[in-house]
Amino acid sequence: MTVLSVINICGTLAFTISGAYAGMQKRLDLFGIIVIAFVTSIGGGTIRDVLIGTKPVRWVIDTPVIYLIIFATLLSVFGKNYIKKIDSPLLLFDALGLGCFFVTGYEQASLMSLPAATCVIIGTITACFGGVIRDILLNEIPVLFRKEIYATACILGGTLHYGLGFFSELHEYAKVITLLFIFAVRILSIRNNISLPKIKLDN
Amino acid sequence: MTVLSVINICGTLAFTISGAYAGMQKRLDLFGIIVIAFVTSIGGGTIRDVLIGTKPVRWVIDTPVIYLIIFATLLSVFGKNYIKKIDSPLLLFDALGLGCFFVTGYEQASLMSLPAATCVIIGTITACFGGVIRDILLNEIPVLFRKEIYATACILGGTLHYGLGFFSELHEYAKVITLLFIFAVRILSIRNNISLPKIKLDN
Amino acid sequence: MTVLSVINICGTLAFTISGAYAGMQKRLDLFGIIVIAFVTSIGGGTIRDVLIGTKPVRWVIDTPVIYLIIFATLLSVFGKNYIKKIDSPLLLFDALGLGCFFVTGYEQASLMSLPAATCVIIGTITACFGGVIRDILLNEIPVLFRKEIYATACILGGTLHYGLGFFSELHEYAKVITLLFIFAVRILSIRNNISLPKIKLDN
């Protein structure tokens, strides 16, 4: 489906740039920045493939994606002073990527006839865990665990996607509806500054 | 074997609660706490499955375990003020889980005809590395590498398990004996405050 | 090929000792040191096997390597006061290991008919990511991302290796040439204190 591929590329680009930017903030060298950008972009899909047993991991045989990521990283490094100015388009791309990566992850788990709860988990991992590995490599507690509605958008979207499966006439639109729903939840939560409550122990 | 499954559930619960507690100490949001609890519980088995090539990873097709972990995490969060009071039952569960996860890991490696030393390593990874991933995600040096007799109990238990293999008449009891031995070593080392010496460089 | 195996053992030893040394600097206990040394040594190959789908992961069925690593770790611990004195032989071993691990990683990816760019990436991961996992476990930003020419030597070597593939008469020497080239680049960059520029954001 062409629309999905275009969105997928936008998501990959957004994740790559966010990884490159995080690497530059930590003053890594060029190689380090490429690795962080790469891992942010393909990390979630890699964990998905390892968990569900896709062999080899998908990016290993997907050369265009490798070149796309390296190219986007170099562009980020050379245009580093312009990145801040594209902050809000980046958030849009990132939200699109979130929805798109979730849907591809969910679908691949679903193709293996995994139970619905697992499909939601696998989709969420696909969409979110590239950023988790990025944060681990940069020696931070993953922002995912302390941040606005991000993974939660995936889980809500997964519930919707599961529900849509019962309406066979919606079948071909289900992916796009879920993607747009996750996108909308994410954007609305940023706009309105909504986050999950932090849970702490009384002392 | 029913006794083993019951113990396995106790171990899973103990690991889940310990993960949820660690997440609350770091003031994560609800989603972060669920992820940490989940990873603490199934992380060791996941690494085991990836290393020995079980495909897909076991929890992916084990929905009851997923629900059990989510349920136990929510319970931990709502009952957070009671967790400290069950500190010593938790240590018992944890020690039972340690023994039980070791035995299941060892047995699965053994079914693939891996050499005995590898079976001990795989069993130890199954029992201990959920906690290692928890500590990495929470940005700590894994407590496993600086703590009392924990992995060491597994390695001793593994040696015993290997030895028991030579007595064919003990075959059906070997698992339970190893499990109880690891449990006993762990509990005794806590009681008597025994730990491995730290090794440091002279400066 | 016997020369390659001898070099491989030297590399494994150098990586093991470097891991054990890092663990002692962080004052881990004996078990922690063994794990860090082990992971430094076999971590890169493990990620390679998981990515390209070798099943089970190679070290799991390679008992001699397991014993070699444990033995070298114990030797490092007991001889901890002598390690500093062998600093420069260690750098030589490490550079040899880097070249050797790269070549074995590249070759295994190549045997699976993966594209050349991927072979270079897989070879680099094999050579470098044991150290990355070591640094993550010790709660540091991987030194690989902020250090002298290290991974870069692998990438240059990979380009050479790919080029050598076009000269069929060089086929049997290609591995050794690449290995020595990576070794030379690494040693020369240490000697002349050459590193990649750090990239930082203007503020």
Side-chain angles (χ1 to χ4, degrees), chain A residues 24-25 27-29 31 35 46 50 55-57 60-61 63 66-67 77 80-81 84 136-137 139, chain C residues 50-53 114-115 117-118 121 136 139 141-142 145 147 151 197-203:
Chain A
M24 287 188 274
Q25 282 182 315
R27 302 171 166 240
L28 303 186
D29 64 24
F31 172 78
V35 173
T46 301
V50 169
K55 173 185 157 174
V57 160
V60 162
I61 45 176
T63 324
I66 295 177
Y67 289 129
V77 169
K80 59 185 178 172
N81 296 320
K84 279 179 195 166
I136 293 175
L137 287 175
N139 203 12
Chain C
V50 169
L51 291 177
I52 67 179
L114 296 178
T118 310
I121 294 177
I136 292 175
N139 203 13
I141 293 185
F145 302 155
K147 202 188 160 189
K198 283 182 179 150
I199 291 161
K200 57 174 195 251
L201 294 164
D202 307 333
N203 280 114

mmCIF file of all heavy atoms in Angstrom, chain A residues 24-25 27-29 31 35 46 50 55-57 60-61 63 66-67 77 80-81 84 136-137 139, chain C residues 50-53 114-115 117-118 121 136 139 141-142 145 147 151 197-203:
data_model
loop_
_atom_site.group_PDB
_atom_site.id
_atom_site.type_symbol
_atom_site.label_atom_id
_atom_site.label_comp_id
_atom_site.label_asym_id
_atom_site.label_seq_id
_atom_site.Cartn_x
_atom_site.Cartn_y
_atom_site.Cartn_z
ATOM 1 N N MET A 24 23.991 14.320 19.041
ATOM 2 C CA MET A 24 24.748 15.570 19.017
ATOM 3 C C MET A 24 24.673 16.285 20.362
ATOM 4 O O MET A 24 25.637 16.888 20.809
ATOM 5 C CB MET A 24 24.238 16.472 17.893
ATOM 6 C CG MET A 24 24.662 15.960 16.520
ATOM 7 S SD MET A 24 24.268 17.109 15.167
ATOM 8 C CE MET A 24 22.580 16.634 14.801
ATOM 9 N N GLN A 25 23.509 16.180 21.021
ATOM 10 C CA GLN A 25 23.388 16.785 22.349
ATOM 11 C C GLN A 25 24.392 16.196 23.334
ATOM 12 O O GLN A 25 24.851 16.867 24.243
ATOM 13 C CB GLN A 25 21.971 16.583 22.899
ATOM 14 C CG GLN A 25 20.961 17.544 22.307
ATOM 15 C CD GLN A 25 19.578 17.353 22.903
ATOM 16 O OE1 GLN A 25 19.109 16.236 23.044
ATOM 17 N NE2 GLN A 25 18.923 18.451 23.242
ATOM 18 N N ARG A 27 27.309 15.137 22.433
ATOM 19 C CA ARG A 27 28.639 15.395 21.876
ATOM 20 C C ARG A 27 29.382 14.138 21.437
ATOM 21 O O ARG A 27 30.591 13.981 21.695
ATOM 22 C CB ARG A 27 29.520 16.125 22.903
ATOM 23 C CG ARG A 27 28.917 17.424 23.342
ATOM 24 C CD ARG A 27 29.656 18.020 24.502
ATOM 25 N NE ARG A 27 29.240 19.402 24.660
ATOM 26 C CZ ARG A 27 30.069 20.444 24.579
ATOM 27 N NH1 ARG A 27 31.347 20.250 24.358
ATOM 28 N NH2 ARG A 27 29.624 21.671 24.721
ATOM 29 N N LEU A 28 28.662 13.242 20.793
ATOM 30 C CA LEU A 28 29.314 12.046 20.247
ATOM 31 C C LEU A 28 30.090 12.412 18.989
ATOM 32 O O LEU A 28 29.912 13.497 18.426
ATOM 33 C CB LEU A 28 28.248 11.000 19.912
ATOM 34 C CG LEU A 28 27.356 10.577 21.058
ATOM 35 C CD1 LEU A 28 26.448 9.438 20.604
ATOM 36 C CD2 LEU A 28 28.165 10.135 22.259
ATOM 37 N N ASP A 29 30.941 11.480 18.533
ATOM 38 C CA ASP A 29 31.582 11.697 17.240
ATOM 39 C C ASP A 29 30.652 11.218 16.122
ATOM 40 O O ASP A 29 29.565 10.682 16.375
ATOM 41 C CB ASP A 29 32.966 11.024 17.179
ATOM 42 C CG ASP A 29 32.896 9.510 17.279
ATOM 43 O OD1 ASP A 29 31.862 8.927 16.947
ATOM 44 O OD2 ASP A 29 33.892 8.910 17.708
ATOM 45 N N PHE A 31 30.626 8.771 14.013
ATOM 46 C CA PHE A 31 30.247 7.370 14.008
ATOM 47 C C PHE A 31 29.183 7.087 15.077
ATOM 48 O O PHE A 31 28.187 6.399 14.821
ATOM 49 C CB PHE A 31 31.463 6.484 14.241
ATOM 50 C CG PHE A 31 31.085 5.052 14.425
ATOM 51 C CD1 PHE A 31 30.761 4.258 13.339
ATOM 52 C CD2 PHE A 31 30.993 4.501 15.691
ATOM 53 C CE1 PHE A 31 30.381 2.947 13.515
ATOM 54 C CE2 PHE A 31 30.610 3.188 15.878
ATOM 55 C CZ PHE A 31 30.309 2.409 14.780
ATOM 56 N N VAL A 35 25.343 5.588 14.602
ATOM 57 C CA VAL A 35 24.838 4.396 15.302
ATOM 58 C C VAL A 35 23.564 4.728 16.077
ATOM 59 O O VAL A 35 22.576 3.994 16.010
ATOM 60 C CB VAL A 35 25.901 3.808 16.259
ATOM 61 C CG1 VAL A 35 25.301 2.689 17.101
ATOM 62 C CG2 VAL A 35 27.079 3.276 15.472
ATOM 63 N N THR A 46 13.717 -4.311 15.048
ATOM 64 C CA THR A 46 14.658 -5.400 15.315
ATOM 65 C C THR A 46 14.187 -6.245 16.492
ATOM 66 O O THR A 46 14.176 -7.482 16.414
ATOM 67 C CB THR A 46 16.056 -4.822 15.613
ATOM 68 O OG1 THR A 46 16.487 -4.055 14.486
ATOM 69 C CG2 THR A 46 17.053 -5.925 15.877
ATOM 70 N N VAL A 50 13.136 -10.221 16.405
ATOM 71 C CA VAL A 50 13.768 -11.210 17.273
ATOM 72 C C VAL A 50 12.710 -11.924 18.113
ATOM 73 O O VAL A 50 12.736 -13.149 18.250
ATOM 74 C CB VAL A 50 14.829 -10.542 18.179
ATOM 75 C CG1 VAL A 50 15.302 -11.499 19.252
ATOM 76 C CG2 VAL A 50 16.004 -10.055 17.333
ATOM 77 N N LYS A 55 13.539 -14.165 10.497
ATOM 78 C CA LYS A 55 14.939 -14.556 10.358
ATOM 79 C C LYS A 55 15.392 -14.420 8.923
ATOM 80 O O LYS A 55 14.789 -15.062 8.081
ATOM 81 C CB LYS A 55 15.052 -16.012 10.834
ATOM 82 C CG LYS A 55 16.387 -16.657 10.620
ATOM 83 C CD LYS A 55 16.322 -18.110 11.022
ATOM 84 C CE LYS A 55 17.445 -18.835 10.283
ATOM 85 N NZ LYS A 55 17.629 -20.192 10.632
ATOM 86 N N PRO A 56 16.374 -13.594 8.551
ATOM 87 C CA PRO A 56 17.057 -12.684 9.470
ATOM 88 C C PRO A 56 16.182 -11.479 9.778
ATOM 89 O O PRO A 56 15.135 -11.307 9.158
ATOM 90 C CB PRO A 56 18.289 -12.265 8.665
ATOM 91 C CG PRO A 56 17.836 -12.315 7.248
ATOM 92 C CD PRO A 56 16.863 -13.445 7.184
ATOM 93 N N VAL A 57 16.628 -10.692 10.735
ATOM 94 C CA VAL A 57 15.975 -9.433 11.065
ATOM 95 C C VAL A 57 15.807 -8.607 9.782
ATOM 96 O O VAL A 57 16.683 -8.593 8.930
ATOM 97 C CB VAL A 57 16.859 -8.707 12.104
ATOM 98 C CG1 VAL A 57 16.581 -7.248 12.165
ATOM 99 C CG2 VAL A 57 16.699 -9.381 13.465
ATOM 100 N N VAL A 60 18.311 -6.120 7.847
ATOM 101 C CA VAL A 60 19.548 -6.734 7.369
ATOM 102 C C VAL A 60 19.496 -6.970 5.862
ATOM 103 O O VAL A 60 20.522 -6.948 5.177
ATOM 104 C CB VAL A 60 19.800 -8.047 8.160
ATOM 105 C CG1 VAL A 60 20.787 -8.928 7.458
ATOM 106 C CG2 VAL A 60 20.251 -7.732 9.576
ATOM 107 N N ILE A 61 18.282 -7.204 5.341
ATOM 108 C CA ILE A 61 18.167 -7.436 3.907
ATOM 109 C C ILE A 61 17.495 -6.267 3.191
ATOM 110 O O ILE A 61 17.088 -6.381 2.034
ATOM 111 C CB ILE A 61 17.404 -8.742 3.615
ATOM 112 C CG1 ILE A 61 16.156 -8.828 4.492
ATOM 113 C CG2 ILE A 61 18.279 -9.943 3.856
ATOM 114 C CD1 ILE A 61 15.288 -10.044 4.210
ATOM 115 N N THR A 63 18.538 -2.959 2.072
ATOM 116 C CA THR A 63 19.600 -1.973 1.845
ATOM 117 C C THR A 63 19.083 -0.544 1.684
ATOM 118 O O THR A 63 19.690 0.374 2.235
ATOM 119 C CB THR A 63 20.446 -2.369 0.623
ATOM 120 O OG1 THR A 63 20.553 -3.788 0.601
ATOM 121 C CG2 THR A 63 21.836 -1.776 0.721
ATOM 122 N N ILE A 66 18.887 1.206 4.936
ATOM 123 C CA ILE A 66 20.210 1.510 5.503
ATOM 124 C C ILE A 66 20.754 2.800 4.906
ATOM 125 O O ILE A 66 21.203 3.693 5.627
ATOM 126 C CB ILE A 66 21.180 0.330 5.244
ATOM 127 C CG1 ILE A 66 20.701 -0.915 5.993
ATOM 128 C CG2 ILE A 66 22.599 0.700 5.665
ATOM 129 C CD1 ILE A 66 21.538 -2.162 5.745
ATOM 130 N N TYR A 67 20.704 2.912 3.581
ATOM 131 C CA TYR A 67 21.220 4.126 2.929
ATOM 132 C C TYR A 67 20.387 5.350 3.309
ATOM 133 O O TYR A 67 20.929 6.429 3.533
ATOM 134 C CB TYR A 67 21.250 3.956 1.412
ATOM 135 C CG TYR A 67 22.313 2.993 0.965
ATOM 136 C CD1 TYR A 67 22.024 1.939 0.099
ATOM 137 C CD2 TYR A 67 23.628 3.124 1.415
ATOM 138 C CE1 TYR A 67 23.006 1.049 -0.302
ATOM 139 C CE2 TYR A 67 24.610 2.239 1.023
ATOM 140 C CZ TYR A 67 24.308 1.194 0.160
ATOM 141 O OH TYR A 67 25.278 0.327 -0.222
ATOM 142 N N VAL A 77 23.472 16.165 10.541
ATOM 143 C CA VAL A 77 24.721 16.678 11.095
ATOM 144 C C VAL A 77 25.109 17.978 10.385
ATOM 145 O O VAL A 77 25.446 18.972 11.030
ATOM 146 C CB VAL A 77 25.835 15.627 10.968
ATOM 147 C CG1 VAL A 77 27.194 16.244 11.286
ATOM 148 C CG2 VAL A 77 25.556 14.461 11.901
ATOM 149 N N LYS A 80 22.675 20.843 11.271
ATOM 150 C CA LYS A 80 22.334 20.776 12.703
ATOM 151 C C LYS A 80 21.727 22.070 13.237
ATOM 152 O O LYS A 80 20.911 22.053 14.143
ATOM 153 C CB LYS A 80 23.563 20.388 13.527
ATOM 154 C CG LYS A 80 24.729 21.344 13.392
ATOM 155 C CD LYS A 80 25.941 20.835 14.142
ATOM 156 C CE LYS A 80 27.109 21.803 13.938
ATOM 157 N NZ LYS A 80 28.261 21.504 14.751
ATOM 158 N N ASN A 81 22.104 23.203 12.658
ATOM 159 C CA ASN A 81 21.574 24.468 13.171
ATOM 160 C C ASN A 81 20.154 24.750 12.702
ATOM 161 O O ASN A 81 19.507 25.671 13.169
ATOM 162 C CB ASN A 81 22.496 25.612 12.785
ATOM 163 C CG ASN A 81 23.860 25.429 13.442
ATOM 164 O OD1 ASN A 81 23.941 25.023 14.591
ATOM 165 N ND2 ASN A 81 24.919 25.690 12.688
ATOM 166 N N LYS A 84 16.399 22.653 14.971
ATOM 167 C CA LYS A 84 15.481 23.228 15.956
ATOM 168 C C LYS A 84 14.319 23.943 15.283
ATOM 169 O O LYS A 84 13.206 23.934 15.781
ATOM 170 C CB LYS A 84 16.218 24.226 16.851
ATOM 171 C CG LYS A 84 16.990 23.543 17.952
ATOM 172 C CD LYS A 84 17.722 24.568 18.800
ATOM 173 C CE LYS A 84 18.779 23.865 19.651
ATOM 174 N NZ LYS A 84 19.722 24.845 20.213
ATOM 175 N N ILE A 136 18.999 4.118 26.368
ATOM 176 C CA ILE A 136 19.930 3.251 27.107
ATOM 177 C C ILE A 136 21.363 3.525 26.646
ATOM 178 O O ILE A 136 22.274 3.678 27.454
ATOM 179 C CB ILE A 136 19.580 1.764 26.895
ATOM 180 C CG1 ILE A 136 18.244 1.432 27.549
ATOM 181 C CG2 ILE A 136 20.682 0.879 27.444
ATOM 182 C CD1 ILE A 136 17.789 0.019 27.287
ATOM 183 N N LEU A 137 21.564 3.624 25.340
ATOM 184 C CA LEU A 137 22.914 3.861 24.818
ATOM 185 C C LEU A 137 23.445 5.211 25.283
ATOM 186 O O LEU A 137 24.645 5.379 25.483
ATOM 187 C CB LEU A 137 22.919 3.809 23.287
ATOM 188 C CG LEU A 137 22.773 2.422 22.659
ATOM 189 C CD1 LEU A 137 22.661 2.532 21.154
ATOM 190 C CD2 LEU A 137 23.961 1.534 23.021
ATOM 191 N N ASN A 139 22.742 6.497 28.083
ATOM 192 C CA ASN A 139 22.830 6.455 29.541
ATOM 193 C C ASN A 139 21.772 7.326 30.236
ATOM 194 O O ASN A 139 22.068 8.055 31.183
ATOM 195 C CB ASN A 139 24.245 6.882 29.969
ATOM 196 C CG ASN A 139 24.611 6.342 31.342
ATOM 197 O OD1 ASN A 139 23.920 5.476 31.873
ATOM 198 N ND2 ASN A 139 25.670 6.855 31.910
ATOM 199 N N VAL C 50 22.152 -13.225 16.299
ATOM 200 C CA VAL C 50 20.722 -12.936 16.454
ATOM 201 C C VAL C 50 20.206 -12.192 15.227
ATOM 202 O O VAL C 50 19.136 -12.503 14.691
ATOM 203 C CB VAL C 50 20.469 -12.119 17.741
ATOM 204 C CG1 VAL C 50 19.045 -11.594 17.775
ATOM 205 C CG2 VAL C 50 20.750 -12.971 18.967
ATOM 206 N N LEU C 51 20.985 -11.225 14.729
ATOM 207 C CA LEU C 51 20.529 -10.429 13.588
ATOM 208 C C LEU C 51 20.417 -11.263 12.319
ATOM 209 O O LEU C 51 19.455 -11.138 11.570
ATOM 210 C CB LEU C 51 21.477 -9.248 13.352
ATOM 211 C CG LEU C 51 21.466 -8.145 14.405
ATOM 212 C CD1 LEU C 51 22.504 -7.084 14.064
ATOM 213 C CD2 LEU C 51 20.097 -7.499 14.524
ATOM 214 N N ILE C 52 21.440 -12.101 12.055
ATOM 215 C CA ILE C 52 21.397 -12.838 10.788
ATOM 216 C C ILE C 52 20.679 -14.176 10.934
ATOM 217 O O ILE C 52 20.453 -14.865 9.946
ATOM 218 C CB ILE C 52 22.803 -13.042 10.161
ATOM 219 C CG1 ILE C 52 23.691 -13.969 10.989
ATOM 220 C CG2 ILE C 52 23.500 -11.705 9.952
ATOM 221 C CD1 ILE C 52 25.067 -14.199 10.355
ATOM 222 N N GLY C 53 20.300 -14.511 12.190
ATOM 223 C CA GLY C 53 19.468 -15.695 12.362
ATOM 224 C C GLY C 53 20.203 -17.016 12.524
ATOM 225 O O GLY C 53 19.634 -18.061 12.262
ATOM 226 N N LEU C 114 24.146 -11.697 2.024
ATOM 227 C CA LEU C 114 23.626 -10.378 2.362
ATOM 228 C C LEU C 114 24.355 -9.328 1.528
ATOM 229 O O LEU C 114 25.485 -9.547 1.093
ATOM 230 C CB LEU C 114 23.823 -10.101 3.857
ATOM 231 C CG LEU C 114 23.053 -11.040 4.784
ATOM 232 C CD1 LEU C 114 23.348 -10.725 6.229
ATOM 233 C CD2 LEU C 114 21.550 -10.941 4.523
ATOM 234 N N PRO C 115 23.713 -8.167 1.291
ATOM 235 C CA PRO C 115 24.374 -7.126 0.496
ATOM 236 C C PRO C 115 25.641 -6.611 1.197
ATOM 237 O O PRO C 115 25.770 -6.705 2.412
ATOM 238 C CB PRO C 115 23.317 -6.020 0.406
ATOM 239 C CG PRO C 115 22.233 -6.389 1.344
ATOM 240 C CD PRO C 115 22.342 -7.831 1.642
ATOM 241 N N ALA C 117 26.934 -3.690 1.917
ATOM 242 C CA ALA C 117 26.826 -2.691 2.989
ATOM 243 C C ALA C 117 26.448 -3.368 4.299
ATOM 244 O O ALA C 117 26.976 -3.045 5.366
ATOM 245 C CB ALA C 117 25.776 -1.639 2.627
ATOM 246 N N THR C 118 25.534 -4.338 4.214
ATOM 247 C CA THR C 118 25.121 -5.049 5.417
ATOM 248 C C THR C 118 26.269 -5.871 5.987
ATOM 249 O O THR C 118 26.446 -5.939 7.204
ATOM 250 C CB THR C 118 23.930 -5.977 5.099
ATOM 251 O OG1 THR C 118 22.944 -5.217 4.412
ATOM 252 C CG2 THR C 118 23.330 -6.543 6.356
ATOM 253 N N ILE C 121 28.380 -3.668 8.007
ATOM 254 C CA ILE C 121 27.729 -3.340 9.284
ATOM 255 C C ILE C 121 27.797 -4.525 10.244
ATOM 256 O O ILE C 121 28.140 -4.379 11.414
ATOM 257 C CB ILE C 121 26.258 -2.912 9.043
ATOM 258 C CG1 ILE C 121 26.216 -1.597 8.252
ATOM 259 C CG2 ILE C 121 25.514 -2.767 10.354
ATOM 260 C CD1 ILE C 121 24.811 -1.128 7.894
ATOM 261 N N ILE C 136 27.323 -0.465 28.564
ATOM 262 C CA ILE C 136 25.937 -0.324 29.026
ATOM 263 C C ILE C 136 25.782 -0.970 30.400
ATOM 264 O O ILE C 136 25.199 -0.395 31.318
ATOM 265 C CB ILE C 136 24.955 -0.968 28.024
ATOM 266 C CG1 ILE C 136 24.931 -0.173 26.726
ATOM 267 C CG2 ILE C 136 23.563 -1.042 28.618
ATOM 268 C CD1 ILE C 136 24.086 -0.820 25.653
ATOM 269 N N ASN C 139 27.052 1.054 33.052
ATOM 270 C CA ASN C 139 26.366 2.345 33.192
ATOM 271 C C ASN C 139 27.202 3.522 32.683
ATOM 272 O O ASN C 139 27.282 4.573 33.317
ATOM 273 C CB ASN C 139 25.976 2.552 34.668
ATOM 274 C CG ASN C 139 24.825 3.523 34.837
ATOM 275 O OD1 ASN C 139 24.155 3.855 33.851
ATOM 276 N ND2 ASN C 139 24.598 3.971 36.039
ATOM 277 N N ILE C 141 28.210 5.806 28.905
ATOM 278 C CA ILE C 141 27.973 5.980 27.472
ATOM 279 C C ILE C 141 29.077 5.223 26.742
ATOM 280 O O ILE C 141 30.251 5.410 27.050
ATOM 281 C CB ILE C 141 28.009 7.462 27.065
ATOM 282 C CG1 ILE C 141 26.832 8.203 27.692
ATOM 283 C CG2 ILE C 141 27.949 7.595 25.551
ATOM 284 C CD1 ILE C 141 26.707 9.630 27.250
ATOM 285 N N PRO C 142 28.718 4.329 25.803
ATOM 286 C CA PRO C 142 29.753 3.506 25.171
ATOM 287 C C PRO C 142 30.930 4.336 24.663
ATOM 288 O O PRO C 142 30.750 5.306 23.945
ATOM 289 C CB PRO C 142 28.997 2.818 24.032
ATOM 290 C CG PRO C 142 27.610 2.707 24.546
ATOM 291 C CD PRO C 142 27.387 3.962 25.340
ATOM 292 N N PHE C 145 31.487 5.417 21.013
ATOM 293 C CA PHE C 145 30.838 6.537 20.344
ATOM 294 C C PHE C 145 31.575 7.856 20.572
ATOM 295 O O PHE C 145 31.155 8.890 20.076
ATOM 296 C CB PHE C 145 29.397 6.696 20.838
ATOM 297 C CG PHE C 145 28.546 5.490 20.645
ATOM 298 C CD1 PHE C 145 27.444 5.266 21.451
ATOM 299 C CD2 PHE C 145 28.835 4.556 19.658
ATOM 300 C CE1 PHE C 145 26.648 4.150 21.286
ATOM 301 C CE2 PHE C 145 28.047 3.433 19.499
ATOM 302 C CZ PHE C 145 26.955 3.232 20.316
ATOM 303 N N LYS C 147 35.291 7.918 20.885
ATOM 304 C CA LYS C 147 36.689 7.547 21.013
ATOM 305 C C LYS C 147 37.411 7.616 19.692
ATOM 306 O O LYS C 147 36.832 7.869 18.658
ATOM 307 C CB LYS C 147 36.741 6.125 21.556
ATOM 308 C CG LYS C 147 38.010 5.714 22.241
ATOM 309 C CD LYS C 147 37.879 4.249 22.502
ATOM 310 C CE LYS C 147 39.136 3.525 22.748
ATOM 311 N NZ LYS C 147 38.914 2.085 22.772
ATOM 312 N N ALA C 151 35.695 1.807 15.445
ATOM 313 C CA ALA C 151 34.743 1.294 14.465
ATOM 314 C C ALA C 151 35.095 1.802 13.066
ATOM 315 O O ALA C 151 34.908 1.093 12.073
ATOM 316 C CB ALA C 151 33.332 1.720 14.835
ATOM 317 N N PRO C 197 36.286 13.929 14.797
ATOM 318 C CA PRO C 197 35.849 15.147 15.477
ATOM 319 C C PRO C 197 34.539 14.909 16.219
ATOM 320 O O PRO C 197 33.676 14.170 15.744
ATOM 321 C CB PRO C 197 35.639 16.137 14.334
ATOM 322 C CG PRO C 197 35.419 15.300 13.131
ATOM 323 C CD PRO C 197 36.213 14.041 13.335
ATOM 324 N N LYS C 198 34.398 15.509 17.390
ATOM 325 C CA LYS C 198 33.111 15.461 18.080
ATOM 326 C C LYS C 198 32.192 16.495 17.471
ATOM 327 O O LYS C 198 32.623 17.592 17.120
ATOM 328 C CB LYS C 198 33.300 15.739 19.563
ATOM 329 C CG LYS C 198 33.851 14.519 20.228
ATOM 330 C CD LYS C 198 34.044 14.653 21.693
ATOM 331 C CE LYS C 198 34.588 13.316 22.192
ATOM 332 N NZ LYS C 198 35.452 13.478 23.349
ATOM 333 N N ILE C 199 30.937 16.114 17.341
ATOM 334 C CA ILE C 199 29.983 17.038 16.725
ATOM 335 C C ILE C 199 29.072 17.557 17.812
ATOM 336 O O ILE C 199 28.468 16.781 18.543
ATOM 337 C CB ILE C 199 29.199 16.313 15.629
ATOM 338 C CG1 ILE C 199 30.161 16.020 14.481
ATOM 339 C CG2 ILE C 199 28.019 17.140 15.166
ATOM 340 C CD1 ILE C 199 29.699 14.961 13.557
ATOM 341 N N LYS C 200 29.008 18.862 17.950
ATOM 342 C CA LYS C 200 28.125 19.359 18.998
ATOM 343 C C LYS C 200 27.244 20.477 18.462
ATOM 344 O O LYS C 200 27.528 21.087 17.439
ATOM 345 C CB LYS C 200 28.932 19.820 20.198
ATOM 346 C CG LYS C 200 29.943 20.867 19.915
ATOM 347 C CD LYS C 200 30.567 21.319 21.233
ATOM 348 C CE LYS C 200 31.306 22.603 21.065
ATOM 349 N NZ LYS C 200 32.763 22.419 21.148
ATOM 350 N N LEU C 201 26.169 20.675 19.175
ATOM 351 C CA LEU C 201 25.215 21.703 18.782
ATOM 352 C C LEU C 201 25.668 23.052 19.306
ATOM 353 O O LEU C 201 26.199 23.154 20.411
ATOM 354 C CB LEU C 201 23.846 21.367 19.367
ATOM 355 C CG LEU C 201 23.227 20.098 18.794
ATOM 356 C CD1 LEU C 201 22.093 19.646 19.681
ATOM 357 C CD2 LEU C 201 22.735 20.343 17.390
ATOM 358 N N ASP C 202 25.491 24.075 18.502
ATOM 359 C CA ASP C 202 25.759 25.428 18.997
ATOM 360 C C ASP C 202 24.614 25.834 19.921
ATOM 361 O O ASP C 202 23.472 25.473 19.692
ATOM 362 C CB ASP C 202 25.820 26.429 17.838
ATOM 363 C CG ASP C 202 26.805 25.962 16.794
ATOM 364 O OD1 ASP C 202 27.750 25.230 17.167
ATOM 365 O OD2 ASP C 202 26.626 26.293 15.613
ATOM 366 N N ASN C 203 24.939 26.535 20.937
ATOM 367 C CA ASN C 203 23.868 26.973 21.844
ATOM 368 C C ASN C 203 23.905 28.482 22.037
ATOM 369 O O ASN C 203 24.944 29.086 22.002
ATOM 370 C CB ASN C 203 24.005 26.277 23.191
ATOM 371 C CG ASN C 203 23.438 24.884 23.131
ATOM 372 O OD1 ASN C 203 24.180 23.924 23.256
ATOM 373 N ND2 ASN C 203 22.151 24.755 22.872
#
